[in-house]
Amino acid sequence: VEIVFERMAFSDTIEDVGRFQARKVRHLLSLIRRTLRALRSDPELILYYPPASRLIPMLRDLVFLAAVRPFARATILHYHAGGAAECLEANQWLKPLAKRVYGGADAAIQLSPSATPDAAYFGAKKVFCVSNGLDVRVVGRTRPPDDTILRVLFVGMLVQSKGTRLLIETARILRDRGVECRFHVVGGW
């Protein structure tokens, strides 16, 4: 297996995510140029791309994919954040273009069968569920607990698409069941 990796890195800080900046446009054009060079040098390359779920990054995606996707042998879209369909429902003017650019991917990956329906919304030919986790019972404890407090560490951007609402709901359910727990949260917002 050979992997050709082009780093996207549009934002330097969490505050830059989803914000328009001229340097990001220059970076996008450079990324398109490098990706086209790679696709033209090897016609067997498959494009593996993680679509955005917010408006400004989605606009970036549409420009990028419209430019490079026709040159890829196949396209796999990995909906790790989810919410692209909801973004388009809120921005109807963009829907026809997005359906055309994201539409009909050869394969799509989503986190679970119950994840947001982006893959189906855009008509992916095949859909695969690949979870981002592992049952903690598999790992087990390396030492006995000092107390009975359940400790949970959440690491990630503190935005709804990363599961923060689910985290809060989990804490509420545990509290209602009388489970003493402590949540530690690390990430930008």
Side-chain angles (χ1 to χ4, degrees):
V1 174
E2 180 183 344
I3 297 175
V4 177
F5 176 77
E6 289 292 341
R7 182 158 164 72
M8 293 182 73
F10 285 96
S11 300
D12 294 327
T13 67
I14 197 74
E15 290 80 21
D16 287 344
V17 174
R19 291 188 179 162
F20 175 82
Q21 295 175 334
R23 70 167 184 77
K24 290 183 180 184
V25 173
R26 289 189 301 274
H27 182 69
L28 173 61
L29 295 174
S30 173
L31 181 64
I32 290 170
R33 191 172 48 257
R34 292 190 320 267
T35 304
L36 286 173
R37 190 176 309 128
L39 291 169
R40 287 182 178 141
S41 71
D42 186 349
E44 292 301 309
L45 284 177
I46 296 172
L47 180 63
Y48 178 95
Y49 194 83
S53 57
R54 293 181 11 205
L55 183 59
I56 298 296
M58 185 178 283
L59 293 172
R60 173 206 63 214
D61 284 357
L62 295 177
V63 170
F64 177 81
L65 289 171
V68 304
R69 192 171 168 199
F71 298 94
R73 181 172 68 86
T75 302
I76 299 170
L77 297 178
H78 188 158
Y79 295 100
H80 65 274
E86 287 116 2
C87 180
L88 286 179
E89 290 305 314
N91 296 282
Q92 289 287 321
W93 59 274
L94 192 55
K95 195 173 182 177
L97 177 61
K99 286 271 202 172
R100 188 171 181 186
V101 173
Y102 289 135
D106 298 281
I109 298 170
Q110 60 187 39
L111 297 181
S112 76
S114 62
T116 57
D118 292 341
Y121 184 86
F122 293 111
K125 295 173 186 165
K126 292 181 185 174
V127 179
F128 299 93
C129 294
V130 179
S131 297
N132 274 353
L134 143 83
D135 188 333
V136 292
R137 289 175 290 187
V138 173
V139 177
R141 287 189 179 269
T142 57
R143 60 184 174 83
D146 294 334
D147 52 44
T148 59
I149 298 173
L150 173 65
R151 290 176 177 80
V152 177
L153 173 63
F154 176 89
V155 179
M157 222 167 80
L158 301 175
V159 294
Q160 184 176 337
S161 64
K162 297 293 184 183
T164 52
R165 192 175 280 173
L166 182 60
L167 183 70
I168 293 166
E169 179 65 12
T170 300
R172 186 194 62 75
I173 291 169
L174 290 170
R175 183 201 64 211
D176 291 351
R177 290 184 180 174
V179 175
E180 190 175 355
C181 57
R182 194 170 290 144
F183 284 76
H184 300 266
V185 179
V186 177
W189 53 17

